[in-house]
Amino acid sequence: MTNLKRNITILILLITGIMSCVAQQRTDSGLNPERFDSIIDGKRTSLYIIRNKIGMEACITNYGARLVSLMFEGKDCVTGFDNVGDYRRFKQNYGATVGRYVGRIKGARFTLDGVEYRLQENGKGVTSHGGYPGFADKVWNLIAKTDSTLTLQYVSADGENGFPGELTVNLTYTVSSRNGLELVYEATTTKPTVLNLTNHSFFNIGGRLDEKITNELLWVNSNRIATFDEDKNPNGHMMKVKGTPFDFRKARRIGERIDDDNEQLNVTKGYDHSFLLKTKGNDRKAAAIVTDEERKVRMTIYTTEPVLHIYTGNGLKGNTKGKQGIYYPRRSAVCFEAMHLADSPNQPSFPSTVLRPGETFRSHTAYVFSIIE
């Protein structure tokens, strides 16, 4: 072997060793990025780490464009798994981007511009979360990354699960200087279509992923919710929250009335409802605030979307092992899904979810953390 070949070989070995060491480095939340290296549907999955300059860290995988961990003040504030395989096995949408249409579409069909589109249905006569596989089950492409931002893209084929139009979605995650996890969605289509995107992270802002969130204080900038029929399908009606267990216009504990004998709570076994926001798309006004008084942590949600769907983890059963070996108990986390209303394509009175060629859908949602003095 010549000296040149020997030197090249040594250099390759050194680079490989360095890359291996880097890959094995754990994140602030203790995740090993190597456990997210896989091939799914012929595409590679990875774990990406973004941070701000004051210590907040977010870890995201391109499998489902999912938020895997979110570190604030040394605590991981979202549930999830420490490997990509468990995200495939368990279907609770932990941290996922849900689409093409989050929520249910009754009858698994809608009519747009005089054309009826029949969608994939779930065996119960509805389309749920855009059908399966949905955006949460897809491997997204990496478009750009900096220290504090990550942009992922998914192109949904014309006719995927019955939805018209080739839809191109870009999602940019940012860990901002205000200790906010900021999400910006942008989407374009080749045909008139409907679109309803959200992030489905389960938050426990105190970082106690094995404890219930029912003692946390919640304030919501809303005086109406969308209601369900007895089968948990949208019935097209809105209900005023005044005097009901859904009245969070003044901050009170999540668990204070969560088990009341109430028609809507009986359907969902806890909070799992869309709150129509009074913010009218202004993402400078708070949509909701959740506070952990014991840990002195607060999270404020801002969004351009008209609705915040609040889900209190009623379906968690304590039999799913997640990060840190924790089995997530019932109501150990709460979702704040910024979105439009379910079944909007069949409800003319609801805010429109129609997107047309030449238009760009854009939404911004921020989950901003702070310490209570």
Side-chain angles (χ1 to χ4, degrees), residues 77-295:
C77 300
V78 294
T79 62
F81 303 102
D82 63 5
N83 65 92
V84 73
D86 282 346
Y87 281 105
R88 299 193 76 188
R89 280 187 283 274
F90 301 108
K91 300 299 182 182
Q92 272 280 354
N93 283 319
Y94 293 95
T97 294
V98 182
R100 180 180 300 200
Y101 200 100
V102 62
R104 297 186 181 187
I105 297 178
K106 290 177 67 175
R109 66 184 65 187
F110 69 93
T111 299
L112 180 58
D113 297 340
V115 179
E116 182 183 77
Y117 295 96
R118 299 195 175 194
L119 310 175
Q120 181 195 98
E121 63 103 7
N122 66 354
K124 298 180 180 179
V126 300
T127 298
S128 181
H129 289 342
Y132 181 83
F135 288 11
D137 310 292
K138 301 294 186 178
V139 180
W140 293 49
N141 296 319
L142 174 66
I143 299 301
K145 184 183 181 305
T146 69
D147 290 343
S148 61
T149 68
L150 175 72
T151 299
L152 301 172
Q153 183 183 84
Y154 177 64
V155 179
S156 175
D158 181 15
E160 184 172 276
N161 296 347
F163 289 93
E166 181 182 272
L167 184 79
T168 300
V169 180
N170 282 5
L171 165 59
T172 298
Y173 281 98
T174 301
V175 179
S176 65
S177 59
R178 60 174 175 170
N179 279 329
L181 179 72
E182 321 249 352
L183 290 79
V184 172
Y185 288 99
E186 294 183 316
T188 58
T189 182
T190 60
K191 295 179 181 178
T193 193
V194 294
L195 175 67
N196 196 12
L197 299 170
T198 197
N199 177 271
H200 203 292
S201 288
F202 288 74
F203 289 95
N204 185 313
I205 63 169
R208 297 173 292 187
L209 304 184
D210 58 347
E211 297 183 17
K212 293 187 176 184
I213 47 78
T214 47
N215 204 41
E216 293 178 357
L217 292 175
L218 177 63
W219 171 84
V220 185
N221 195 353
S222 171
N223 56 20
R224 290 187 296 163
I225 64 164
T227 54
F228 295 120
D229 64 21
E230 60 184 11
D231 295 318
K232 201 183 170 183
N233 292 321
N235 59 17
H237 299 305
M238 306 296 290
M239 181 185 83
K240 292 183 178 180
V241 302
K242 184 178 180 180
T244 76
F246 298 89
D247 192 349
F248 289 97
R249 294 174 301 166
K250 292 183 179 180
R252 59 181 177 83
R253 305 204 182 279
I254 292 173
E256 183 178 324
R257 300 188 63 183
I258 197 170
D259 291 317
D260 277 16
D261 184 9
N262 171 273
E263 181 180 357
Q264 286 300 302
L265 290 178
N266 291 340
V267 170
T268 54
K269 310 304 180 187
Y271 296 113
D272 191 2
H273 289 77
S274 291
F275 289 73
L276 190 65
L277 298 172
K278 296 169 63 179
T279 53
K280 299 186 184 302
N282 187 342
D283 58 357
R284 294 183 299 277
K285 295 182 178 179
I289 301 172
V290 60
T291 303
D292 185 323
E293 292 181 300
E294 184 177 344
R295 289 292 174 91

